[in-house]
Amino acid sequence: MTVTTSLNYKEYQADGMVNKFAIPFLLLARSDLYVYVNNQLVTSGYTVTGLGNPISEIIFEEAPQGLLLLQRSITLIRETDYQENGDLLAKTVNQDFDRIYLAMQGFAQDTSKALRVTDAEGVSALPLADERANKTLSFDSTGQPILTTTATGSAAELAQRLVDASSENKGSGLIGYNKTLNYPTRTIGNALNTLTNRFDNFEGNGVPLFSVFWWPSRANIPAGYVVADGQELSQAVFPDAAAAIQQAKVPTVQELEWQMDPLKRGSYVANSSQGKFRVPDYNGKYADSLGALFLRGDNGVVGNGMIQQDALQNITGSLSSILFRKDYEKDAEGALYFEASTNGGISANAGGTSSSIKIDASRVVRTAGETRPINVSGCWIIKLFGYVINTAEADLQQIITENANLAARLSVLESYQQAKKFTIIYPNDGTEDNPANIMVNKRYVMDNPFKGYPIICLAELLVNGVWGAAGHVNIAASGTAYGVGCWPYGDDKIVTQTAGGGIIIASANSGNPHGITTSLQTAPCRVKVWRVI
């Protein structure tokens, strides 16, 4: 068969619906066909019919979509072996010669992709890759190719570095950009300005200072914001915020007011200590704070920066026509009370039974230790700074944010340490849930919970379900002592010592508050400890 066309490839724009495509060039074997879809080689999922014909056909199992390229590529091998005195068939010879011409067509196509010259003598070959690296291809006075080293600072060197993506100091790392310039439209600078503004706004730079947001994760605070935990921050690190607080652009109080009155911790402090200001404690993290806050409008009446205690609208009701004995002392607790009546009651000798009237909201609604709506917890954050001119590689905005968050944690820990001036410890390895008994004539040594500080101690016994002091007394007539003593011992220990006669004696003898008439040999004990300064 004659080879009537030099075409050896065909491109189609596949629509994802048609699965049959013509192959408009001679194809002798399926292995000579290379199929590409969107520049990706496809080796299966199709069949080829009409091999050996001027036009054949490829049929896909699933219709392709995108750029379809059918490419013939002949492998340079000779598979036909003619035998001496064997049959010399025209079909075999034609196919063998066709294959040679088809391979030559492939070479011709490959050659067309290369740089060529029309000179009969051609040009010299280029040297090896190591010798060509980082050099410019040029031509000498005779038109032969030569390699030249690029001059430092030349346009050619700049061009080479701009296309080199091997380092952050090359390629796009060489392109200058200044956020403050107004670049013309359709330039890279204009596009970068647009993107930068969008990211800045996302990070909060388009948000006014002191804006407050609820954020879902305390562990990942966005750049430009700090948690609202009542912490101190540096005026030098946050100069814009410090200046605005000094100008009373937000509610402010004095540091002493902020510390002494938890209701004023919704305000800022301009000068909480040397070179520092304090932010509000919206998250209720600071020691002795009232709790995490909900933010609300002031209705033009409530003072800004002042915290309001939780409250309920009053619930009232009444029960009437209830008779009591005339001589019965009526009692009520909590939200219930009695109102005096002018009507008579039941006589003292009348029969019948008595009942108590009680109220318990938990029988019909959810109750808790605080009044709250249904909610999800996160943390309140405050916008304290915006764009930072940063010439270093580190993200300075994020570093400042992380530093502020660490300052918040440290400030909260310090506040708890300062505020904690009282605790209770339990002798004989006891605990709050399971206080241990102490015995007569015993010495119990415990660690001072406020090591290094002066303290005051008081031992208490659990008698008839009530904690109270044991007292200490020595009966002169018998020479026997009763009671429990508790004292600081050195700088780091507390000693609880019991008497030999009993750990407590009748209240009339020692003045203890328990109202007992006998002595005890053992009872649960605890020790209250106050830090003096």
Side-chain angles (χ1 to χ4, degrees), residues 139-159:
F139 298 90
D140 62 16
S141 59
T142 64
Q144 293 298 321
I146 59 173
L147 299 175
T148 58
T149 302
T150 306
T152 302
S154 67
E157 183 201 33
L158 176 60

Side-chain angles (χ1 to χ4, degrees), residues 6-11 24-25 69-72 109:
S6 61
L7 182 69
N8 72 338
Y9 73 94
K10 177 64 176 178
E11 288 183 342
F25 46 81
L69 172 63
L70 306 176
Q71 172 82 52
R72 183 183 63 208
Q109 184 188 22

